[in-house]
Amino acid sequence: MSSDPHLQETRVSSEEVLRGGFLQVLRDTVRLPDGAQTYREYIVHPGAVMIIPLIEAEDGSVRVLMERQYRYPVGNVMIEFPAGKLDAGEAPLVCAQRELREETGYTARQWARAGRLHPGISYSTEFIEIWFARGLSEGKSQLDEGEFLEVFSATPQEILDWCRNGQITDGKTLTGALWLQNVLAGAWTLEWREA
């Protein structure tokens, strides 16, 4: 991705520190651009998707499906867009469709890829593909065993207010709110495709 060799670090060796259920922690020895060596510890993550599901009313108003879920590492119930990790070999759109259906019960008639974000570039390989969904049809959620969450809808303005006042602090949701705001304002365009 980078064409800046004067800034690149080169792996000399790699050591696995931990292998968990789906995360792996590595400690690499790297050569810096000036020739010195140091260590880089980081988490290997399979990648994920986040969905911004739009509920469009006949009068032109929009609501967005959101979730409330307890996140153990931070010890809080968080407000988030639906999201989930990629299974091995799974295409991001297929994952987005699966996660929306499993977590919310909804399916979407149209999908648009917005972009990609890297939530922890200094310590993780994780990337999150951002997808918009519209033309929603309601169904029954199929949560994973041990997964507990609440699904609700909010206006775009409520979401932005929650970002501003600190009720939303999740990085992917903050990024999603930026996309949502710009798409609804017509500043950023999406290429929609049928499911």
Side-chain angles (χ1 to χ4, degrees), residues 50-55 63-69 78-83 100 103-104 106 136 149-156 158-160 162-163 168 170 173-174 176-177 180:
M50 175 181 68
I51 306 103
I52 302 171
L54 305 177
I55 303 169
R63 294 187 69 83
V64 184
L65 278 183
M66 302 293 290
E67 297 177 351
R68 292 180 70 246
Q69 185 173 13
M78 306 297 281
I79 298 172
E80 306 172 51
F81 290 113
L100 180 65
E103 291 189 357
T104 71
Y106 283 81
L136 301 184
L149 55 86
E150 293 176 358
V151 177
F152 67 100
S153 69
T155 67
E158 287 173 323
I159 294 167
L160 293 172
W162 296 333
C163 291
I168 292 178
D170 169 54
T173 302
L174 292 167
L180 176 64

Side-chain angles (χ1 to χ4, degrees), residues 99-159:
E99 287 292 342
L100 180 65
R101 183 180 62 256
E102 288 178 0
E103 291 189 357
T104 71
Y106 283 81
T107 56
R109 187 174 30 81
Q110 293 185 316
W111 290 85
R113 182 185 181 274
R116 175 180 276 202
L117 73 105
H118 292 94
I121 58 173
S122 63
Y123 62 85
S124 177
T125 63
E126 182 179 10
F127 63 89
I128 301 173
E129 294 279 334
I130 305 166
W131 288 86
F132 278 73
R134 69 182 183 189
L136 301 184
S137 297
E138 195 171 355
K140 184 170 172 32
S141 64
Q142 304 158 0
L143 297 176
D144 292 336
E145 185 176 332
E147 187 175 30
F148 301 91
L149 55 86
E150 293 176 358
V151 177
F152 67 100
S153 69
T155 67
Q157 188 58 56
E158 287 173 323
I159 294 167

Side-chain angles (χ1 to χ4, degrees), residues 3-16:
S3 61
D4 298 309
H6 66 288
L7 298 175
Q8 292 180 4
E9 300 174 356
T10 306
R11 179 184 305 144
V12 174
S13 64
S14 186
E15 169 191 5
E16 184 176 76

Side-chain angles (χ1 to χ4, degrees), residues 32 75 94 177:
L32 300 175
V94 172

